[in-house]
């Protein structure tokens, strides 16, 4: 029996989340390989249309990891990201689609363990939700 | 509010007379408003000669195609107009103008915003039918206003809670006087200056809320519930949009969509052959790209915080898709998130430009 | 737009090859569109490894390379420099992190790890195919340095920079420079007089032609970027005209108001008008508006003005703002010690004779409020039994700070020695957990305290202190003998933890600097770059980065100065060209990008389209998300490339 392997796109900000992911690796913390990471300079770079696109392309989940408020290398990109994610999650919820497929986390450079834990949790959460119905035209 | 002027006259005549006097005295150089053609059609027109004002339709029964706000953004884009220029608008159009001014698409300098009180308009196709059957849509509209019967109006109008603009130079109200008068509500210095220059005496008076509006609150709730149900989940959403032919009329006509080139139009959304092949075929069919959800939801994500809920998208859809359900639902949800009302105040920043250190904590983490 | 791409897969010994089938990755990479060369090697970053890449670039005429190896944080620059030397534009280089992000966290499933590594290489190739060649930008810099903080770190750095011929602005929030060192009685282990070694430096600084001293001032606002910072400095109101003040101090004599002195840490008082200490630089008076009667009530008193021989006192609110243009910033804001009142279990805050080490320092100081006579603050008697407690608030992760404050073991030993010199028949007890004496002559110093002066060192923690009559009962446990200890002390000195200067959080925010755990300024790399920050052009020195003694402070200050000088010495900086660009045909002039940019790097031109100031742009990309039309985008990371990345990573 083939277990459903979710595919999760992760947008990791360069200065905090990517460094945390590096730390998780350096510390040899194990987490599921379902995450496909994309490094961006700042979470403020993420527009709602990229998250939507990832879901429509077939990703089962989208993770956006940013610096904690006050720590953003570019001042406040993470706060901008939070608003945009609120809009897309809110909209997805209003349409009774699954807002849990989008997850926004604050992860700082030193939180390698948190990064691994979030990826683990999110992967299992998406596995339980099942494949993303949004991929392709479902009639 | 700076004061009111009450004119005991049939409202349309009163409005035309004010405009005539203003043009006469050189206080206004041009007026953007609706004009009646010989065949009865109503279309937007730039009046520059007072002799033409007899053809001006101040209380238009229809918004034919583009919103006045869109037209303004074309003809009075970024520079201020030399000489006073008045625009007659429905409250939704005024709100759109204010919203567009925040994005530098319309300059509010030297424009005089005159909002006409409105309980709704007819769908442009109904309007056409009325004309063809010999009815006068204008008279029918006024009758409906005075009796409070808004059943024949567009869906978006029937749940609109703004019969007049929250921000305008002047609101021209007449519905409560049932055809016997016009109340000129002055909200700004510019409006005051114009009316005083026309030798009107300004009084202090409070104007109450129309009963129809109070009743609409319930209807609005029911509409939003129905919309939520019609759009609940992917299957229903696909059914909802299944007749969409991607004509993009809705975007064209939307007063808030101001992008020179729509992001969701561009070639970055083309699908390359090799990716067609990588999708899993389901039940023998090759699934097609989800261009529709991408276009509508993508566009909604960009504009819903500024959406005026005027419903022109639905009016312009050749496939008669109930777009106002989709957009009004998302606008309501996303604007409530930030306590924002587009067009309420030109100094209020749109939510996509502001952000705070502590907010929206519930959007962090799982769930 | 590379069309002849080379992919290089590193084994990193067993680090990658142990969990990822590098051969398979290489094979699959070779079959990707536009890839004409694929190779794998044990250690790509080694000399032979780099040579391999260089040869491939030249022999196969590669116009872009993907290196699948370790984190870009480690070697992206290595690959870029290598490409440059091989004749390839350094920005046509992409890195796929298959070590930290694949091999190490997924070492338990080789099949899945390999799959993921392949996908990441595919994605890197997809992005590279639409990358454009870019050139480093050269931006002229301002050859001047702002130094924030006038303690020994700031003073040393300022002197070094000034001597190198660059202009220095030193901003200090107190009326005088000198910092903590100026409050000390003697310095360990040499027992030098700190004023004697510090004052000449302070005077040199004040008279140096390249230095502008701005004391009683604070940094209000910082804009711009490395090489071209614009600083708004608030020069606080002194209410005294410093051009006329000669520092005679007559005003202080006649002032009727007395308040606790900050310099004496409450052990003694100062007047409402004051010069903080006798060797203050600049030697000018300021009036404290909260306690001055004339300033509080708007009339009355004014005795100081009448007394002043140069008529320098005018009670004018002379607060001023000044704008500075500098090329680099050195932050040397120092530290504070925790207040005794934080430790009620030791009676501090309640009992006047439980004080902090810094307060005790003032009692020891020959120029202090008691002229070096050690007396109890409560009744002025000479204490015969003094208890010193180390690690108060340090090394205490449960209640306070987990870190060690570094200097307390040494200064407590010093204070005990000085006490014994002042009160030869007195007895000193030091409660410690460990003794950290790791500098030159430090261990010998401790030994001296322990053996020669017979200072009693007890390994243990003090449980509580309470008053009994006119003594302080100190209850503790000796952890070596496991016995309970009770001492009837006359005076208790707490070596409280060092903490970052107040206001550091706000300053860090203004400078966009990050803070480490505990609130200390975050260095670029703890081991290799302790005097730099992650923000280009901003350096740090001294205790602001973490508690340290004067030796290390001076070393770090000179290091920061050297970094700042070398940063500015060429007259220009090279800036990474990864900035935002506007497609004017699509731009509708809405201004979303202008309002969202945290660096104010975008503005609307007269033609009504957006324009990016490439010197200010830091490449964060917030504007690209704010633009609904996609008219503004990051060079080599535009929306189309991002979509390609998403598609590639999702594609099965």
């Amino acid at each position: 029996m083939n277990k459903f392997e979710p595919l999760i796109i992760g947008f990791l900000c360069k200065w905090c989340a990517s460094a945390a992911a590096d730390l998780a690796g350096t510390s040899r913390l194990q987490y599921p390989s379902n995450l496909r990471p994309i490094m961006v300079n700042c979470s403020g770079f993420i527009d709602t249309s990229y998250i939507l696109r990832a879901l429509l392309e077939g990703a089962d989940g989208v993770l956006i990891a940013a610096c904690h408020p006050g720590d953003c290398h570019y001042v406040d990109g993470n706060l901008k990201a939070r608003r945009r994610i609120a809009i897309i999650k809110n909209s997805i919820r209003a349409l009774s689609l699954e807002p849990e497929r989008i997850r926004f986390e604050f992860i700082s450079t030193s939180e390698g363990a948190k990064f691994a834990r979030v990826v683990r949790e999110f992967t299992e959460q998406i596995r339980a939700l099942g494949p993303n119905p949004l991929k392709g035209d479902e009639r | 509010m700076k004061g009111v002027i009450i004119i005991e006259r049939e409202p349309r005549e009163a409005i035309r007379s004010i405009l005539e006097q203003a043009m006469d005295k050189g206080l206004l150089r041009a007026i953007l408003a609706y004009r009646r053609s010989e065949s009865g059609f109503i279309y937007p027109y730039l009046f520059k000669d007072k002799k033409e004002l007899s053809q001006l339709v101040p209380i238009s029964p229809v918004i034919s195609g583009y919103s006045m706000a869109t037209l303004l953004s074309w003809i009075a884009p970024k520079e201020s107009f030399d000489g006073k220029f008045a625009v007659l608008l429905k409250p939704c159009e005024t709100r759109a103008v204010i919203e567009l001014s925040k994005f530098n698409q319309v300059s509010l300098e030297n424009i005089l915003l005159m909002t006409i009180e409105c309980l709704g308009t007819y769908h442009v196709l109904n309007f056409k039918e009325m004309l063809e059957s010999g009815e006068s849509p204008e008279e029918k509209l006024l009758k409906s206003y005075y009796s409070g019967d808004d059943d024949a109006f567009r869906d978006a109008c029937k749940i609109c809670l703004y019969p007049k603009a929250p921000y305008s130079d002047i609101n021209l109200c007449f519905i409560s006087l049932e055809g016997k008068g016009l109340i000129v509500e002055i909200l700004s210095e510019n409006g005051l200056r114009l009316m005083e220059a026309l030798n009107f005496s300004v009084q202090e008076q409070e104007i109450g809320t129309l009963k129809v509006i109070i009743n609409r609150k319930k209807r609005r709730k029911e509409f939003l519930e129905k919309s939520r149900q019609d759009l609940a989940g992917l299957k229903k959403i696909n059914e909802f949009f299944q007749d969409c032919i991607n004509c993009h009329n809705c975007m064209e006509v939307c007063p808030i969509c101001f992008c020179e080139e729509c992001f969701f139009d561009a070639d970055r959304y083309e699908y390359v052959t090799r990716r067609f092949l990588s999708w899993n075929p389901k039940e023998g069919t090759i699934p097609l790209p989800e261009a529709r959800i991408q276009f509508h939801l993508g566009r909604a994500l960009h504009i819903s915080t500024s959406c005026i809920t005027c419903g022109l998208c639905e009016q312009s859809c050749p496939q008669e898709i109930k777009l106002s359900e989709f957009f009004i639902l998302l606008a309501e949800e996303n604007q409530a998130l930030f306590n924002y009302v587009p067009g309420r105040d030109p100094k209020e920043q749109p939510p996509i430009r502001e952000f705070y250190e502590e907010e929206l904590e519930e959007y962090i983490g799982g769930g | 737009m590379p069309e002849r791409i080379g992919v290089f897969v590193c084994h990193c010994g067993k680090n990658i090859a142990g969990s990822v089938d590098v051969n398979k990755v290489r094979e699959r990479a070779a079959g990707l569109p536009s890839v004409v060369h694929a190779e794998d090697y044990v250690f790509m970053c080694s000399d032979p490894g780099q040579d391999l890449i260089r040869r491939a670039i030249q022999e196969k005429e590669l116009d872009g390379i993907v290196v699948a190896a370790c984190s870009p944080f480690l070697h992206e620059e290595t690959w870029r420099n290598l490409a440059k030397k091989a004749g390839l534009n350094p920005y046509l280089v992409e890195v796929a992190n298959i070590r930290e992000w694949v091999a190490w966290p997924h070492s338990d499933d080789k099949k899945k790890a390999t799959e993921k590594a392949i996908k990441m290489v595919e994605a890197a190739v997809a992005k590279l195919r639409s990358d454009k060649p870019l050139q480093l930008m050269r931006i002229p810099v301002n050859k001047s340095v702002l130094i924030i903080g006038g303690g020994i770190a700031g003073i040393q750095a300022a002197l070094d920079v000034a001597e190198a011929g660059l202009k220095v602005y030193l901003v200090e929030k107190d009326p005088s420079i000198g910092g903590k060192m100026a409050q000390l009685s003697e310095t360990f282990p040499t027992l030098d007089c700190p004023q004697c070694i510090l004052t000449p430096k302070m005077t040199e600084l004040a008279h140096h032609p390249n230095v502008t001293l701005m004391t009683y001032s604070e940094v209000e606002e910082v804009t711009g970027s490395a090489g071209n910072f614009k600083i708004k400095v608030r020069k606080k109101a002194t209410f005294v005209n410093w051009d006329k003040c000669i520092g005679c101090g007559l005003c202080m004599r006649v002032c009727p108001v007395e308040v606790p002195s900050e310099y004496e840490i409450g052990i003694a008082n100062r007047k409402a008008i004051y010069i903080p200490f006798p060797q203050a630089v600049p030697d000018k008076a300021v009036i404290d508006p909260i306690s001055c009667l004339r300033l509080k009530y708007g009339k009355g008193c004014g005795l100081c003005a009448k007394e002043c021989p140069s008529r320098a006192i005018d009670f004018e609110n002379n607060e001023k703002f000044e704008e500075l243009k500098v090329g680099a910033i050195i932050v040397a804001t120092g530290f504070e010690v925790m207040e005794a009142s934080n430790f009620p279990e030791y009676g501090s805050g309640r009992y006047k004779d439980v004080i902090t080490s810094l307060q005790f320092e003032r009692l020891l100081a020959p120029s202090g409020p008691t002229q070096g006579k050690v007396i109890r603050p409560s009744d002025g008697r000479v204490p015969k039994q003094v208890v010193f407690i180390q690690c108060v608030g340090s090394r205490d992760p449960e209640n306070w700070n987990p870190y060690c404050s570094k200097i307390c073991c040494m200064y407590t030993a010093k204070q005990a020695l000085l006490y014994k010199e002042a009160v030869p028949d007195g007895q000193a007890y030091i409660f410690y957990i460990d003794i950290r004496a790791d500098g030159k002559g430090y261990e010998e110093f401790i030994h001296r305290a322990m053996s020669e002066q017979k200072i009693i060192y007890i390994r243990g923690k003090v449980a509580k202190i309470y008053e009994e009559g006119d003594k302080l009962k100190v209850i503790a446990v000796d952890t070596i003998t496991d016995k309970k200890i009770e001492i009837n002390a006359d005076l208790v000195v707490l070596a409280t933890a060092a903490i970052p200067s107040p206001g550091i959080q706000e300053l860090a925010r203004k400078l966009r600097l990050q803070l480490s755990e505990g609130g200390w300024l975050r260095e670029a790399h703890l081991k290799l770059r302790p005097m730099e920050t992650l923000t280009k052009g901003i350096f740090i020195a001294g205790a602001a980065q973490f508690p340290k003694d004067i030796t290390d402070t001076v070393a770090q200050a000179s290091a920061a100065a050297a970094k700042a000088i070398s940063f500015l010495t060429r007259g220009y900086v090279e800036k990474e060209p990864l900035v935002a660009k506007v497609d004017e045909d699509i731009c509708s002039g809405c201004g979303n990008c202008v309002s969202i940019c945290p660096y104010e790097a975008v503005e609307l031109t007269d033609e009504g389209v957006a324009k990016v100031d490439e010197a200010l742009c830091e490449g964060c990309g917030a504007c690209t998300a704010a633009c609904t039309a996609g008219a503004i985008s990051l060079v080599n990371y535009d929306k189309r490339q991002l979509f390609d990345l998403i598609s590639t990573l999702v594609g099965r």
Side-chain angles (χ1 to χ4, degrees), chain B residues 82-347:
Chain B
D82 164 38
K84 282 286 181 193
F85 175 126
V87 196
L88 261 58
L89 305 145
K90 306 254 174 226
C92 57
E93 297 175 312
T94 308
R95 287 192 297 132
V97 170
I98 303 296
E99 198 63 13
L100 285 176
S101 75
K102 297 176 189 175
F103 296 104
N104 301 333
Q105 302 304 302
V106 181
S107 166
L108 294 180
E109 275 178 53
N110 287 337
I111 298 180
L112 198 78
L113 298 169
M114 304 175 82
T115 309
I116 311 282
E117 199 179 24
C118 172
L119 281 180
T121 57
Y122 297 114
H123 192 295
V124 72
L125 294 174
N126 291 350
F127 168 79
K128 197 163 168 256
E129 276 167 20
M130 281 183 233
L131 280 183
E132 283 165 2
S133 66
E135 276 185 84
S136 164
E138 241 185 293
E139 300 303 328
K140 188 153 182 237
L141 184 91
L142 284 170
K143 241 214 221 128
S144 305
Y145 279 9
Y146 300 145
S147 66
D149 172 21
D150 56 4
D151 267 348
F153 296 152
R154 298 186 294 121
D155 278 345
C157 300
K158 289 200 281 207
I159 56 165
C160 177
L161 302 174
Y162 292 99
K164 29 180 214 188
Y167 184 97
S168 177
D169 288 307
I170 291 175
N171 274 331
L172 296 163
C173 308
F174 54 93
I175 297 174
S176 54
L177 298 179
E178 294 178 6
K180 298 197 200 64
L182 176 74
I183 306 172
V184 181
E185 202 185 40
I186 304 172
L187 299 165
S188 76
E189 274 304 317
N190 282 343
L192 190 62
R193 236 179 286 135
L194 176 74
M195 297 314 285
E196 283 179 340
L198 293 173
N199 295 321
F200 281 103
S201 56
V202 180
Q203 331 159 229
E204 300 278 321
Q205 188 162 317
E206 278 302 316
I207 308 184
T209 320
L210 296 169
K211 185 151 168 276
V212 180
I213 301 301
I214 299 173
N215 293 340
R216 274 185 182 174
K217 291 199 173 148
K218 180 160 166 274
R219 215 202 242 143
R220 190 180 181 87
K221 254 206 183 124
E222 287 165 2
F223 176 86
L224 289 168
E225 234 344 278
K226 177 167 190 293
S227 307
R228 225 179 286 271
Q229 281 168 22
D230 285 347
L231 293 159
L234 188 64
K235 192 153 176 291
K236 290 238 181 109
I237 295 172
N238 275 328
E239 275 167 19
F240 189 90
F241 284 108
Q242 68 186 345
D243 296 330
C244 173
I245 53 175
N246 256 308
C247 66
H248 291 186
N249 258 14
C250 48
M251 169 195 83
E252 272 294 315
V253 134
C254 173
I256 295 303
C257 267
F258 60 77
C259 291
E260 301 266 328
E261 208 181 274
C262 179
F263 183 72
F264 301 94
D265 246 356
D267 67 1
R268 66 197 101 224
Y269 280 92
E270 272 172 22
Y271 284 79
V272 181
T273 316
R274 71 180 163 88
R275 292 217 294 273
F276 273 118
L277 296 174
S278 70
W279 274 306
N280 292 323
K282 265 185 95 68
E283 298 154 10
T285 62
I286 299 175
L288 289 173
E290 198 49 274
R292 256 161 281 153
I293 282 260
Q294 185 160 259
F295 174 71
H296 292 290
L297 186 52
R299 187 170 83 89
L301 291 171
H302 272 186
I303 60 147
S304 62
T305 48
S306 287
C307 172
I308 303 292
T309 64
C310 61
L312 287 180
C313 44
E314 181 172 309
Q315 182 178 261
S316 69
C317 177
Q319 302 290 81
E320 294 180 7
I321 300 173
K322 305 218 121 296
L323 289 170
S324 57
E325 283 189 11
F326 184 74
F327 283 99
I328 295 180
L329 174 65
L330 291 179
E332 182 87 6
E333 287 283 332
N334 288 327
Q335 286 166 20
L337 198 59
F338 303 107
N339 232 317
Y340 181 73
V341 174
R344 167 172 62 182
D345 180 354
K347 283 192 242 48

Side-chain angles (χ1 to χ4, degrees), chain A residues 38-41 45, chain C residues 1-2 63-65 76 80 89-95 123-136 576-582 614 619 621 624 632-645:
Chain A
I38 296 178
M39 176 158 80
V40 294
N41 272 354
F45 179 62
Chain C
M1 317 291 262
D63 57 6
I65 60 170
E76 185 176 61
R80 289 208 202 280
N89 184 287
Y91 296 95
L92 294 175
V93 172
E94 290 291 332
V95 177
V125 170
K127 177 168 186 292
L128 181 61
R129 295 217 324 272
S130 10
D131 276 345
K132 296 190 192 66
L134 304 170
Q135 300 300 328
L136 269 182
E576 291 267 301
L578 302 165
V579 294
K581 278 209 158 70
V582 180
E614 298 189 347
T624 67
I632 188 168
S633 46
L634 282 183
V635 154
N636 276 5
Y637 214 157
D638 64 32
K639 288 183 170 182
R640 178 172 206 139
Q641 285 175 295
L642 190 64
F643 287 140
D644 283 343
L645 273 177

Side-chain angles (χ1 to χ4, degrees), chain A residues 47-50 52-53 56-57 69-70 76 79-80 82-97 99-100 102-106 125 133-134 136-139, chain B residues 228 231-234 237-238 263 268-269 271 275 282 288 290 292 294 297-298 301-302 305 326 329-330 333-334 337-338 351 354-361 363-367:
Chain A
D47 181 26
T48 48
S49 46
Y50 310 151
L52 180 63
R53 176 70 164 201
L56 292 176
E57 286 270 9
D76 47 22
L79 307 182
K80 295 160 190 161
R82 178 167 55 185
R83 276 222 167 180
R84 293 179 191 133
I85 284 153
I87 292 175
I88 185 169
K89 278 186 89 148
N90 209 24
S91 308
I92 299 253
R93 185 187 307 118
L95 299 171
S96 307
L97 296 169
E100 312 84 63
I102 302 168
R103 183 161 172 164
F104 183 57
E105 286 283 356
F106 292 133
Q125 196 185 352
L134 276 174
D137 221 336
E138 298 262 317
R139 284 190 193 283
Chain B
R228 225 179 286 271
L231 293 159
L234 188 64
I237 295 172
N238 275 328
F263 183 72
R268 66 197 101 224
Y269 280 92
Y271 284 79
R275 292 217 294 273
K282 265 185 95 68
L288 289 173
E290 198 49 274
R292 256 161 281 153
Q294 185 160 259
L297 186 52
L301 291 171
H302 272 186
T305 48
F326 184 74
L329 174 65
L330 291 179
E333 287 283 332
N334 288 327
L337 198 59
F338 303 107
E354 290 199 320
F355 36 87
Y356 298 99
E357 184 125 353
E358 286 178 23
E359 59 170 358
L360 308 168
E361 313 286 348
Y363 288 92
I364 305 174

Side-chain angles (χ1 to χ4, degrees), chain A residues 22 30-31 35 39 41 57 75, chain C residues 71 105-106 512 619 637 647:
Chain A
D22 271 8
Q30 301 293 304
Y31 55 85
L35 178 82
M39 176 158 80
N41 272 354
E57 286 270 9
V75 191
Chain C
S71 169
H106 311 315
R512 278 174 247 124
Y637 214 157
S647 301

